[in-house]
Amino acid sequence: MDRYAVVGNPIKHSLSPQIHTQFASETGQSLEYLALELDNDHFEEQIRQLIVSGYKGVNVTVPFKEKAWAMTDRLSPRAKDAGAVNTLIFQQDGQIAGDNTDGIGLTRDMITNHKILIRHRKVLVLGAGGAVRGVLGPLLSQKPELLTIANRTLERAETLVDQFTESYLESTDLNACAYQELGRDKFDLIINGTSAGLNNEVPPLPDDILGINSICYDMMYNTRQPTAFVKWAQERGALRAFDGLGMLVEQAAEAFFIWRGVRPDTTQLMTDLRKHPA
Ligand code: ATR
């Protein structure tokens, strides 16, 4: 049986084994998928051991996405842009290929599952860390009219703007700002890519930043209760507010497709994960 895993540290609460096992049974694929906690100082060594033991690929999560990026023999264009890898493919010729399915997971959940329009819209992205860098390419490919990156540390947002501006100059006005500068414009779509939610916090946003049709999306998720950002959005009258469970499932579906060549259906799984949280 082919073996796959999600690797991270910590990894106990990962939903990936449940997700991939259900994908496998739904598509009739015979595979085993585990959650493995790797050691911070021996990541590369441990990955090479997995290859020797016959693994065909792994999903990579916090804090190893950059380390995974650095150890690949070849990278997909989207992984190159992202500066991080969430999917490793152990090829038959012994090479390690790296991809990043986080961004496509986000845009697929927004566009296909929630029917959110990004094209020609005014988009605000909160945060400028690895999570945001991972999704900027696919977001900008949708050609929003404006994409503002707001971050506590302004320079990090400016660095991302510098990196992505040239490729998307024609379609999008891409700019960076600090939270204190927000308030002049309303945004159609606000995406939270900060890790503030880990402490039940929300970045300091002005209340009037939402218009009557604004939609909010939190890249973090919680299967049991609304995330801090979803709560913030609902309390301020956002038209709709979503957490990132759909993004998690869609990035997994894309990884599954890369490994197995079959695209699983994600709708039923998302309902199940909400109904029976792990
Ligand atoms: P990740 O891989 O999750 O993106 P990261 O690279 O450490 O992790 O980035 C975390 C992001 O969340 C950053 O944008 C961080 O802002 P800074 O760059 O200024 O550190 C943001 N962040 C974390 N806690 C926050 C908080 N309480 N309020 C606002 N932003 C926060």
Side-chain angles (χ1 to χ4, degrees):
M1 204 188 280
D2 288 343
R3 294 165 94 192
Y4 300 87
V6 58
V7 298
N9 191 340
I11 202 67
K12 266 206 307 285
H13 299 294
S14 173
L15 293 178
S16 293
Q18 190 184 343
I19 294 172
H20 281 274
T21 304
Q22 189 157 331
F23 284 165
S25 92
E26 177 201 314
T27 56
Q29 297 275 309
S30 172
L31 59 86
E32 180 185 54
Y33 190 107
L34 301 176
L36 303 175
E37 183 170 299
L38 299 194
D39 180 4
N40 282 311
D41 297 327
H42 302 98
F43 174 76
E44 181 162 348
E45 233 169 286
Q46 290 178 315
I47 290 290
R48 295 199 187 277
Q49 278 163 11
L50 293 179
I51 300 176
V52 173
S53 5
Y55 277 79
K56 302 283 187 224
V58 292
N59 284 132
V60 183
T61 187
V62 179
F64 297 126
K65 290 184 183 183
E66 283 83 10
K67 279 189 177 150
W69 188 87
M71 71 175 291
T72 52
D73 299 303
R74 57 180 87 106
L75 284 167
S76 69
R78 58 193 183 189
K80 245 181 237 169
D81 271 357
V85 152
N86 79 336
T87 306
L88 286 174
I89 306 109
F90 305 144
Q91 298 180 323
Q92 282 188 336
D93 61 5
Q95 296 223 312
I96 302 175
D99 204 338
N100 191 314
T101 65
D102 286 331
I104 191 80
L106 173 67
T107 52
R108 203 163 278 154
D109 188 43
M110 283 181 172
I111 298 166
T112 311
N113 299 340
H114 300 308
K115 315 291 176 216
I116 297 172
L117 219 61
I118 302 173
R119 199 181 170 86
H120 301 324
R121 295 296 147 124
K122 294 191 168 78
V123 179
L124 173 64
V125 174
L126 310 173
V132 167
R133 183 172 170 192
V135 301
L136 272 183
L139 275 177
L140 287 163
S141 301
Q142 292 299 318
K143 306 188 175 183
E145 176 190 309
L146 169 78
L147 193 149
T148 297
I149 305 173
N151 197 42
R152 200 169 53 178
T153 315
L154 177 60
E155 302 82 72
R156 290 185 89 188
E158 286 171 340
T159 304
L160 286 181
V161 168
D162 288 346
Q163 188 198 331
F164 284 89
T165 287
E166 204 179 312
S167 310
Y168 298 95
L169 200 58
E170 306 250 312
S171 47
T172 302
D173 172 8
L174 176 62
N175 58 66
C177 75
Y179 292 118
Q180 308 85 274
E181 295 172 63
L182 292 169
R184 286 188 300 266
D185 300 310
K186 300 213 186 284
F187 290 88
D188 303 307
L189 176 59
I190 304 182
I191 301 168
N192 178 35
T194 71
S195 52
L198 293 176
N199 301 319
N200 222 12
E201 288 172 10
V202 173
L205 299 171
D207 281 344
D208 56 3
I209 201 162
L210 294 176
I212 47 167
N213 289 318
S214 299
I215 296 174
C216 292
Y217 191 104
D218 194 349
M219 285 166 56
M220 293 213 154
Y221 66 87
N222 187 326
T223 50
R224 292 170 189 277
Q225 61 195 41
T227 63
F229 182 66
V230 165
K231 250 188 269 167
W232 176 92
Q234 287 168 340
E235 285 163 4
R236 279 154 193 82
L239 181 64
R240 295 189 289 161
F242 302 101
D243 75 6
L245 186 69
M247 172 180 174
L248 175 81
V249 173
E250 293 297 344
Q251 65 75 29
E254 184 72 13
F256 191 91
F257 176 69
I258 292 168
W259 289 327
R260 310 297 299 182
V262 210
R263 197 173 284 287
D265 179 56
T266 53
T267 349
Q268 184 59 45
L269 177 58
M270 273 187 260
T271 316
D272 292 352
L273 288 171
R274 295 264 183 221
K275 263 200 226 145
H276 310 288

